[in-house]
């Protein structure tokens, strides 16, 4: 999410919006949004209906969470691009922004590729600190 925060002004300059979906409770999501200084909306899907309908539900981890993923929807809510991301492999944001600048033209060149991602040392430290502070498990529900 940090990369999207960094590039949010660029995204809005294209006249586009961004939302994130979490299976956490509204209170927990608000705390996360505040902690990360998210400039975009964090929606709550505590019933896990959205993540299941989009095929990104991971029932095996932390009581059921969403796999990290990126979706691009057009104004008619048609999915134009989907990337299932992993810890070390994520959609290339430069390629994604080039795709977005093309105006979601279905005849445009190939969709963005995933690239290898290596978390920074600060990311590891933050994850470890948060795990110690808040615990490793999310509540079921």
């Amino acid at each position: 999410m940090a990369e999207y925060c960094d590039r949010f002004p660029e995204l809005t300059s294209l006249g586009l919006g961004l939302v994130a979906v979490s299976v956490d409770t509204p209170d927990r999501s608000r705390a996360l949004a505040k902690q990360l200084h998210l400039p975009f909306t964090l929606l709550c899907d505590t019933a896990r209906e959205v993540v299941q309908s989009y095929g990104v539900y991971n029932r095996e981890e932390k009581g059921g969470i969403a796999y990290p993923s990126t979706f691009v929807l057009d104004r008619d809510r048609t999915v134009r691009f989907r990337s299932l991301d992993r810890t070390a492999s994520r959609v290339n944001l430069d390629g994604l922004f080039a795709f977005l600048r093309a105006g979601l033209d279905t005849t445009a060149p190939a969709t963005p590729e995933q690239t290898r991602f290596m978390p920074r040392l600060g990311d590891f430290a933050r994850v470890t600190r948060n795990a110690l502070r808040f615990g490793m498990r999310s509540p079921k529900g």
Side-chain angles (χ1 to χ4, degrees), residues 4 7 10 22 32 38 42 47 55 70 73 79 82 97 106 119 125 127 131:
Y4 287 97
R7 299 202 54 185
E10 182 181 354
S22 170
L32 177 66
L38 298 181
L42 182 56
T70 301
L73 285 67
V79 175
R82 174 185 172 202
F97 274 79
T106 56
V127 167

mmCIF file of all heavy atoms in Angstrom, residues 4 7 10 22 32 38 42 47 55 70 73 79 82 97 106 119 125 127 131:
data_model
loop_
_atom_site.group_PDB
_atom_site.id
_atom_site.type_symbol
_atom_site.label_atom_id
_atom_site.label_comp_id
_atom_site.label_asym_id
_atom_site.label_seq_id
_atom_site.Cartn_x
_atom_site.Cartn_y
_atom_site.Cartn_z
ATOM 1 N N TYR A 4 1.372 2.730 -3.396
ATOM 2 C CA TYR A 4 0.187 3.423 -3.892
ATOM 3 C C TYR A 4 0.016 4.768 -3.207
ATOM 4 O O TYR A 4 -0.422 5.729 -3.825
ATOM 5 C CB TYR A 4 -1.060 2.559 -3.719
ATOM 6 C CG TYR A 4 -1.103 1.406 -4.693
ATOM 7 C CD1 TYR A 4 -0.679 0.136 -4.323
ATOM 8 C CD2 TYR A 4 -1.549 1.596 -5.994
ATOM 9 C CE1 TYR A 4 -0.696 -0.918 -5.224
ATOM 10 C CE2 TYR A 4 -1.575 0.546 -6.898
ATOM 11 C CZ TYR A 4 -1.150 -0.708 -6.507
ATOM 12 O OH TYR A 4 -1.166 -1.738 -7.400
ATOM 13 N N ARG A 7 2.290 7.215 -4.907
ATOM 14 C CA ARG A 7 1.901 7.582 -6.274
ATOM 15 C C ARG A 7 0.453 8.051 -6.382
ATOM 16 O O ARG A 7 -0.054 8.261 -7.476
ATOM 17 C CB ARG A 7 2.162 6.403 -7.194
ATOM 18 C CG ARG A 7 3.672 6.079 -7.153
ATOM 19 C CD ARG A 7 4.245 5.363 -8.244
ATOM 20 N NE ARG A 7 4.057 5.865 -9.568
ATOM 21 C CZ ARG A 7 4.472 5.206 -10.647
ATOM 22 N NH1 ARG A 7 5.085 4.055 -10.506
ATOM 23 N NH2 ARG A 7 4.281 5.696 -11.844
ATOM 24 N N GLU A 10 -0.228 11.194 -8.473
ATOM 25 C CA GLU A 10 -0.125 10.892 -9.904
ATOM 26 C C GLU A 10 -1.406 10.227 -10.403
ATOM 27 O O GLU A 10 -1.908 10.540 -11.483
ATOM 28 C CB GLU A 10 1.077 9.977 -10.141
ATOM 29 C CG GLU A 10 1.334 9.628 -11.575
ATOM 30 C CD GLU A 10 2.526 8.693 -11.729
ATOM 31 O OE1 GLU A 10 3.223 8.393 -10.742
ATOM 32 O OE2 GLU A 10 2.741 8.254 -12.872
ATOM 33 N N SER A 22 -10.410 -4.209 2.983
ATOM 34 C CA SER A 22 -9.866 -4.972 4.096
ATOM 35 C C SER A 22 -10.972 -5.814 4.707
ATOM 36 O O SER A 22 -12.131 -5.409 4.701
ATOM 37 C CB SER A 22 -9.305 -4.007 5.155
ATOM 38 O OG SER A 22 -8.980 -4.703 6.336
ATOM 39 N N LEU A 32 -5.550 1.464 11.039
ATOM 40 C CA LEU A 32 -4.531 1.182 10.025
ATOM 41 C C LEU A 32 -4.384 2.361 9.066
ATOM 42 O O LEU A 32 -3.269 2.781 8.750
ATOM 43 C CB LEU A 32 -4.880 -0.087 9.251
ATOM 44 C CG LEU A 32 -3.926 -0.443 8.116
ATOM 45 C CD1 LEU A 32 -2.548 -0.809 8.658
ATOM 46 C CD2 LEU A 32 -4.496 -1.575 7.277
ATOM 47 N N LEU A 38 -3.025 6.827 4.987
ATOM 48 C CA LEU A 38 -3.573 6.517 3.669
ATOM 49 C C LEU A 38 -4.351 7.705 3.115
ATOM 50 O O LEU A 38 -5.255 8.209 3.771
ATOM 51 C CB LEU A 38 -4.495 5.291 3.738
ATOM 52 C CG LEU A 38 -3.867 3.983 4.182
ATOM 53 C CD1 LEU A 38 -4.907 2.864 4.166
ATOM 54 C CD2 LEU A 38 -2.679 3.613 3.312
ATOM 55 N N LEU A 42 -10.302 3.216 2.709
ATOM 56 C CA LEU A 42 -10.118 1.808 3.057
ATOM 57 C C LEU A 42 -11.500 1.260 3.412
ATOM 58 O O LEU A 42 -12.082 1.613 4.427
ATOM 59 C CB LEU A 42 -9.149 1.665 4.227
ATOM 60 C CG LEU A 42 -8.806 0.248 4.683
ATOM 61 C CD1 LEU A 42 -8.241 -0.587 3.546
ATOM 62 C CD2 LEU A 42 -7.815 0.301 5.838
ATOM 63 N N ALA A 47 -17.700 -9.328 6.239
ATOM 64 C CA ALA A 47 -18.407 -10.566 5.875
ATOM 65 C C ALA A 47 -17.642 -11.350 4.809
ATOM 66 O O ALA A 47 -18.018 -12.470 4.476
ATOM 67 C CB ALA A 47 -19.810 -10.244 5.376
ATOM 68 N N GLY A 55 -12.573 -13.583 -5.987
ATOM 69 C CA GLY A 55 -11.665 -14.722 -6.069
ATOM 70 C C GLY A 55 -10.323 -14.522 -5.409
ATOM 71 O O GLY A 55 -9.336 -15.142 -5.803
ATOM 72 N N THR A 70 -4.480 -6.390 -7.086
ATOM 73 C CA THR A 70 -4.778 -5.109 -7.697
ATOM 74 C C THR A 70 -5.798 -5.341 -8.797
ATOM 75 O O THR A 70 -5.624 -6.236 -9.630
ATOM 76 C CB THR A 70 -3.509 -4.478 -8.311
ATOM 77 O OG1 THR A 70 -2.541 -4.300 -7.273
ATOM 78 C CG2 THR A 70 -3.809 -3.143 -8.964
ATOM 79 N N LEU A 73 -10.907 -1.289 -12.568
ATOM 80 C CA LEU A 73 -12.281 -1.348 -13.058
ATOM 81 C C LEU A 73 -12.567 -0.102 -13.871
ATOM 82 O O LEU A 73 -12.089 0.983 -13.534
ATOM 83 C CB LEU A 73 -13.273 -1.415 -11.896
ATOM 84 C CG LEU A 73 -13.404 -2.742 -11.163
ATOM 85 C CD1 LEU A 73 -12.177 -3.114 -10.402
ATOM 86 C CD2 LEU A 73 -14.609 -2.732 -10.267
ATOM 87 N N VAL A 79 -14.028 -5.389 -14.874
ATOM 88 C CA VAL A 79 -12.617 -5.572 -14.520
ATOM 89 C C VAL A 79 -11.800 -5.569 -15.805
ATOM 90 O O VAL A 79 -11.992 -6.398 -16.683
ATOM 91 C CB VAL A 79 -12.402 -6.883 -13.730
ATOM 92 C CG1 VAL A 79 -10.920 -7.124 -13.482
ATOM 93 C CG2 VAL A 79 -13.172 -6.850 -12.417
ATOM 94 N N ARG A 82 -6.345 -7.432 -13.630
ATOM 95 C CA ARG A 82 -6.296 -8.077 -12.313
ATOM 96 C C ARG A 82 -4.898 -8.629 -12.099
ATOM 97 O O ARG A 82 -4.339 -9.276 -12.973
ATOM 98 C CB ARG A 82 -7.314 -9.204 -12.255
ATOM 99 C CG ARG A 82 -7.238 -10.023 -11.002
ATOM 100 C CD ARG A 82 -8.191 -11.194 -11.059
ATOM 101 N NE ARG A 82 -7.947 -12.051 -9.915
ATOM 102 C CZ ARG A 82 -8.282 -13.310 -9.860
ATOM 103 N NH1 ARG A 82 -8.878 -13.882 -10.869
ATOM 104 N NH2 ARG A 82 -8.032 -14.007 -8.788
ATOM 105 N N PHE A 97 0.674 2.163 -14.426
ATOM 106 C CA PHE A 97 0.346 3.547 -14.756
ATOM 107 C C PHE A 97 0.355 3.781 -16.263
ATOM 108 O O PHE A 97 -0.456 4.546 -16.782
ATOM 109 C CB PHE A 97 1.281 4.514 -14.019
ATOM 110 C CG PHE A 97 0.789 4.852 -12.637
ATOM 111 C CD1 PHE A 97 0.973 3.962 -11.598
ATOM 112 C CD2 PHE A 97 0.119 6.026 -12.382
ATOM 113 C CE1 PHE A 97 0.512 4.247 -10.329
ATOM 114 C CE2 PHE A 97 -0.359 6.331 -11.119
ATOM 115 C CZ PHE A 97 -0.160 5.441 -10.078
ATOM 116 N N THR A 106 -8.833 -1.374 -24.731
ATOM 117 C CA THR A 106 -8.703 -2.829 -24.816
ATOM 118 C C THR A 106 -7.792 -3.258 -25.955
ATOM 119 O O THR A 106 -7.382 -4.411 -26.014
ATOM 120 C CB THR A 106 -10.082 -3.494 -24.986
ATOM 121 O OG1 THR A 106 -10.731 -2.945 -26.136
ATOM 122 C CG2 THR A 106 -10.935 -3.268 -23.761
ATOM 123 N N PRO A 119 11.247 -6.333 0.140
ATOM 124 C CA PRO A 119 10.906 -5.363 1.187
ATOM 125 C C PRO A 119 12.156 -4.701 1.736
ATOM 126 O O PRO A 119 13.210 -5.312 1.835
ATOM 127 C CB PRO A 119 10.217 -6.225 2.254
ATOM 128 C CG PRO A 119 9.768 -7.451 1.531
ATOM 129 C CD PRO A 119 10.777 -7.672 0.436
ATOM 130 N N ALA A 125 11.270 -4.198 9.929
ATOM 131 C CA ALA A 125 11.230 -3.679 11.298
ATOM 132 C C ALA A 125 9.805 -3.302 11.683
ATOM 133 O O ALA A 125 9.352 -3.606 12.792
ATOM 134 C CB ALA A 125 12.163 -2.475 11.425
ATOM 135 N N VAL A 127 6.941 -4.466 10.418
ATOM 136 C CA VAL A 127 6.129 -5.676 10.543
ATOM 137 C C VAL A 127 6.402 -6.367 11.874
ATOM 138 O O VAL A 127 5.476 -6.781 12.577
ATOM 139 C CB VAL A 127 6.389 -6.628 9.354
ATOM 140 C CG1 VAL A 127 5.813 -8.006 9.609
ATOM 141 C CG2 VAL A 127 5.821 -6.042 8.072
ATOM 142 N N ALA A 131 3.751 -6.819 14.835
ATOM 143 C CA ALA A 131 3.405 -8.179 15.271
ATOM 144 C C ALA A 131 3.564 -8.306 16.781
ATOM 145 O O ALA A 131 2.729 -8.916 17.455
ATOM 146 C CB ALA A 131 4.276 -9.202 14.554
#
